[in-house]
Amino acid sequence: MKSRDSKRIDAFISYSRAADSRLAPSIQRGLTRLAKKWYRIRALNVFRDQTDLSASHALGASIEQALNDARFFVLLASPAAAESKWVRREIEFWQRNKGSDTFIIALTDGTISWDDEAGDFDWAVTDALPGSLSGYFETEPLWQDLTWSRAADHLTLRHGGFRDAVATLAAPIHGSSKRELDNEEVKAHRILTLIGALATGLIVMLTIAFGVQSWLATVAMNRANENAREATVLSSIRRAQAELANVQTGYDVSAYQWLMAAESLAARPLIKGEVYNAALGAAYSRANLLSVTEPAPALTSSIATMTVDGQWAAFGGKGQPVLWRPLTGRPSGTVMEPRESEDSEILALAFTRDGTRLAAAYDTAIVLWDVKTGRRISEFAKDNYTTASMALSPDGKTVAVAGGGVRIWDASSGKSVGEPLRAEGSWVVFSPNGRKLAFDALNNGGSEVRVHSLEPDDVGEVTIPYRHNQISAIAFTPDGRGLAVGTDDGRLQLRNPESGRPAGRVMSGHQGDIKAITFGADGSLIATAGADKTIRQWDAATGAMVGFPFTGHAGPVDFIAFSRGGRELVSLGEDATLRRWDAMNGLRRTRLTGTSVPLALAVDPRGKNVAVGSLDGVRLWNQETGLQVATLPVLQGVASLSYSPDGTSLLIVSGDGVRLWDGATVRAVTLGPSVGPVSSGAFMPYGKQIVVSSFSGKLLFEDLDASAVGTPRASIDIGCPAQHLAVSQDGMHVAYACDGKGGIADAKAGKVRTFNLRDRVTTMVLSPDGRTLLLGSLDGTVWRRADGVDTFVGVGVHRGTVRSLAYSPDGRWFASAGDDGSVVIYPHGAKLISARISAHTGPVAAVAFTQDGSHLLSLGKADNAARIWHVFRDPLDDLCERVPANMSESSWKKWISDRIGYQDQCTNKPRAEETSEDR
């Protein structure tokens, strides 16, 4: 290794004390001890600040001197570090005075993503680095992922994964490779072993020494095997996470298999927690994905089509089509009756709208089959024009083929219907009633859509020009009154087929061709699939995109269909996969009307309605339909909402008083004359008892009668007006927060345990059993305090204020929402396990669990929308449901380990067949 000036600092560690105060010392010790020569005090001179910096506008003199003397800068990157003004100043000092080749990054939390096209970090995804690093690196820097290590209680160089990570960080500082470092470490170890063996040999008999050495070797071998196994687990997790983070091109089936393989190998609870955390994140990274099916490559590489309801898919080739059931992921079992001649390949396929008939166009003939029985209905000769696409009329009696013109045949007689229509295009579709035919045509460098009438007494044709674009997809609305046209620039627009005029605004979002268009049963929802490998949903009335794009296909998506009454989407992509999606997960069920943003949220325990409070009132909407069912006006904005245990009443606290809605009328709540103005309130979990916080500094418990008149029951003096209240499920505990302090009141004994708050509390919630209190703060931190513990521990961080917290009724999960537009879900009691959902396009005002705990509701302030999210109770089982099979044994040896025996990842899945790539 290269010599160094011993007076200089080899590495300066910059980190957030709030996020990495435990991890930073471990990394410092690792850097100073790895590859240390036996006669030296330390391998590297590493500087780590252990005290707070002074509250000045510049770095302290000692810090600046240390930065000047340091050869390398090691950043422990995390969202908290990115937000820390002290870390940012240290980084800016280094940028001004040192080069990027001496800047080393270790990711401890959050996300880092590089955009190769931009030559910079992808700042839409990256949250662990400050924006000041934009443009600092000429090429993608090497960075070490240490997010797994934050869950460890005690990290040393004996931990295989941690040792490898420290070696990666230390190598450029030493000016050598990781292998050279390992050789140095081995040499030092051999010298120490020799000295120990000589000393032992002088004291102990040779036979005892041999036994001791044998025992030590066995322990070392077992430890090495354990470390190797854990390193394999961690490597599989990181590989899977990297695959899933590449949302546009990732192939997620292999990522799920790697995670399940990691689960099958994990032994220690700490490592099992790492796997669970990764699986939870994986489940929410594709929150809508239900399952993936991989038909035989020979099928998916050929011509294909799918019914409008997603019940059937057909694959072509040479001979008869093969039918598949996308919802089961298996072949249908129906065999198509052979055609009269089999000397050509299928050029196009088409189902009738009801899926009862299937047609195939060959070079020399068109064949029609009964889908249920496989019986060949008819076969007739066709012309010698090229076939680009084909359509069957809804009744199956007419066939239209596009390619070198549009030709129409009577399927029963096999005779042509009229003269061919001149159109050099590749799309043809029937209207739902079969009376119109829409197709595309080239037109002077652009293209056009033509809507042709098939009525005998109407030979009219409507032309819709697209002078600068090519038509990439066409679909009629379910009622036939609209025509959706997609173009090669990723735009979609509804047109009136009678006039050709626009019937709505242009919808844009896809990058490149829109390959497929489908409608929900009532036509209110549109789904599109694109060459950009994404699936998107649109509100047909407003043209707004609904929810977020579905990603996961590794190639363009050619076919999509709504199924199961619109609850699911089925897609078929050029990556040879059929996929089922939960079309409703995260769907914006309703756009909240009103002039102000939402502020409060309450869920009806009966699972019927959701109440949303804002500055101008309360609106109630139905969870199932998304329709608004009532409007309750207030004058000075809603402070809090709370449903009674039976769901029949809603308590509304606002700046102009307390009200009670009983499902029919809104009544003002009359409290005792000494209560005065109320700052917050909530229902207790029994009867009609409520608890309110008055500006006089008391918690008051009162019973409400049918006329909303309160009868005082008890009061507890808390000495401040509480802005936030939280009640345990059994009603025994009431938590409150005021400015700078808070407490938990024992509702039965009337006693209060108080605590001081370092940051301003913006929201709070108690676990159902009352033993855990969660606080959200202005600086974006979620704090947890368990029963019997005097301190708060940070369990989550938002980039912006925490606006809402919620516990599931069974206490298994809690969720937080913040100004960064995200919702984070955490398992109760687990350390450093969470999944982040990009829930809204702006700040999230509130979150709440449904009564059964199966779904989570979120309210967006900027998009003024409500979304409903599925809660993955067992993410590991969910991943097993998604994959078609366990990985093959060859893949296990290639991607997991050739030294660890194969283990099935999912007990109810077969092993994948060996492929030529595997061999």
Side-chain angles (χ1 to χ4, degrees), residues 738-816:
C738 310
D739 285 336
K741 65 178 181 178
I744 300 177
D746 186 318
K748 185 176 181 180
K751 296 180 180 179
V752 178
R753 287 180 294 139
T754 61
F755 47 80
N756 293 322
L757 303 173
R758 290 176 291 178
D759 301 296
R760 179 181 169 186
V761 174
T762 55
T763 181
M764 68 190 314
V765 68
L766 270 173
S767 60
D769 61 7
R771 297 175 62 85
T772 303
L773 174 64
L774 299 175
L775 301 178
S777 62
L778 200 63
D779 69 352
T781 305
V782 177
W783 300 97
R784 176 169 59 192
R785 175 176 172 167
D787 191 23
V789 178
D790 293 332
T791 59
F792 285 92
V793 177
V795 294
V797 176
H798 284 270
R799 287 173 293 173
T801 301
V802 181
R803 292 297 175 189
S804 182
L805 292 166
Y807 252 106
S808 62
D810 60 7
R812 291 180 58 185
W813 303 88
F814 64 90
S816 64

Side-chain angles (χ1 to χ4, degrees), residues 478-679:
D479 61 7
R481 297 179 181 178
L483 183 70
V485 181
T487 52
D488 59 354
D489 61 352
R491 294 172 179 262
L492 175 74
Q493 189 171 34
L494 289 176
R495 295 276 187 162
N496 186 325
E498 299 291 339
S499 64
R501 294 191 182 93
R505 71 181 182 89
V506 174
M507 294 164 261
S508 60
H510 284 285
Q511 304 297 313
D513 292 1
I514 290 178
K515 305 276 288 182
I517 306 169
T518 190
F519 285 86
D522 61 0
S524 63
L525 201 62
I526 311 172
T528 56
D532 60 359
K533 309 162 192 171
T534 69
I535 298 167
R536 299 167 189 261
Q537 297 188 82
W538 311 86
D539 186 314
T542 65
M545 189 161 67
V546 177
F548 294 87
F550 298 173
T551 60
H553 274 290
V557 186
D558 292 328
F559 301 96
I560 49 171
F562 279 105
S563 66
R564 301 190 188 278
R567 297 192 307 273
E568 294 183 8
L569 269 169
V570 180
S571 62
L572 174 59
E574 294 180 16
D575 60 353
T577 65
L578 273 163
R579 290 169 178 257
R580 287 175 51 231
W581 309 85
D582 181 349
M584 308 304 289
N585 190 39
L587 180 66
R588 183 180 58 214
R589 295 289 183 89
T590 184
R591 179 171 286 278
L592 305 173
T593 58
T595 59
S596 58
V597 297
L599 299 173
L601 173 67
V603 179
D604 184 345
R606 299 169 299 180
K608 183 179 179 181
N609 294 326
V610 173
V612 179
S614 60
L615 289 174
D616 58 357
V618 178
R619 289 168 177 81
L620 292 100
W621 50 276
N622 185 281
Q623 288 189 48
E624 292 298 323
T625 65
L627 298 176
Q628 186 169 301
V629 296
T631 301
L632 315 175
V634 299
L635 297 179
Q636 296 183 23
V638 175
S640 65
L641 295 171
S642 177
Y643 267 104
S644 61
D646 60 5
T648 60
S649 301
L650 177 68
L651 186 70
I652 306 167
V653 178
S654 61
D656 56 337
V658 182
R659 294 174 176 82
L660 189 72
W661 183 71
D662 60 8
T665 59
V666 178
R667 293 187 174 92
V669 174
T670 303
L671 301 174
S674 61
V675 173
V678 171
S679 58

Side-chain angles (χ1 to χ4, degrees), residues 317-394:
K318 200 166 187 178
Q320 288 67 248
V322 175
L323 292 179
W324 205 274
R325 285 285 200 179
L327 298 184
T328 64
R330 298 183 180 90
S332 70
T334 305
V335 178
M336 300 291 100
E337 183 181 344
R339 52 182 294 241
E340 294 178 356
S341 60
E342 300 181 8
D343 58 350
S344 62
E345 291 189 356
I346 295 175
L347 302 177
L349 291 165
F351 284 102
T352 53
R353 190 169 185 83
D354 62 5
T356 59
R357 299 286 187 270
L358 173 67
Y362 295 84
D363 283 333
T364 57
I366 291 177
V367 184
L368 187 66
W369 287 275
D370 180 282
V371 171
K372 187 174 182 180
T373 64
R375 179 178 61 87
R376 179 164 48 85
I377 298 173
S378 63
E379 180 175 348
F380 51 91
K382 73 178 195 66
D383 50 46
N384 293 320
Y385 286 96
T386 301
T387 297
S389 71
M390 180 171 59
L392 269 174
S393 62

Side-chain angles (χ1 to χ4, degrees), residues 59 115 527 790 907:
L59 297 174
D115 187 341
D790 293 332
T907 56

